[in-house]
């Protein structure tokens, strides 16, 4: 397995809208394994293909403590519902920044599995929030977009300065 390079905000490639997956082959299986490997190594609880510069509708999530509940969702479509809740979010593309974001508590998910078979389930709590966050990536959206422009501007500047200092 290969660890993939994760793009960091404000990389403009993170703003790309992903296109649907229509070929379910060994390459897709290999790629999704690499995504999981990359997510666990980071370490993180979710990763969208967008974040590794592949602009296809693929996300992986695992909110368990034991790395035992991996979900690989292809072409996910969401129907969020229920109460709105606030929680701290972070993102592997926005390193070391944690901010409060409001989202729906529950989400109904329709997607395909890695073989192209349809799957459907309802998620609550952390899993629900994580799936909503990862699906935003497929639309080119980041959690910092929910913050005030002042706060977002500070975060963008901080990460841009950090990136420069690594050059
Ligand atoms: Ni993220």
């Amino acid at each position: 397995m290969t660890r993939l390079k994760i793009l960091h905000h404000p990389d403009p490639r993170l703003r790309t809208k992903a296109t649907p997956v229509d070929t379910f082959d060994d390459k897709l299986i290999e790629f999704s394994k690499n995504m999981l490997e990359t997510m666990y190594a980071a370490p993180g609880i979710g990763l969208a293909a967008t974040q590794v510069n592949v602009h296809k509708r693929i996300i992986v999530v695992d909110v368990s403590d034991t790395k035992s509940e991996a979900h690989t969702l292809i072409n996910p479509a969401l129907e969020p519902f229920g109460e709105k809740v606030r929680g701290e979010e972070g993102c592997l593309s926005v390193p070391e920044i944690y901010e409060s974001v409001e989202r729906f508590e529950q989400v109904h998910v329709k997607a395909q599995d890695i073989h192209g078979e349809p799957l459907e389930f309802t998620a609550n709590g952390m899993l629900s929030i994580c799936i909503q966050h990862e699906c935003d990536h497929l639309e080119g959206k980041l959690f910092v977009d929910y913050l005030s422009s002042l706060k977002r501007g500070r975060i963008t500047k901080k990460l841009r300065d950090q990136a420069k200092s690594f050059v």
Side-chain angles (χ1 to χ4, degrees), residues 70-88:
H71 295 265
T72 299
L73 303 178
I74 314 293
N75 300 327
L78 305 187
E79 275 177 41
F81 66 98
E83 302 280 305
K84 284 213 163 182
V85 288
R86 260 192 182 277
E88 286 259 298

Side-chain angles (χ1 to χ4, degrees), residues 3-18:
R3 286 187 197 169
L4 308 165
K5 189 179 176 320
I6 299 174
L7 302 176
H8 286 175
H9 174 67
D11 191 311
R13 292 172 289 183
L14 286 167
R15 299 310 189 166
T16 313
K17 190 168 157 51

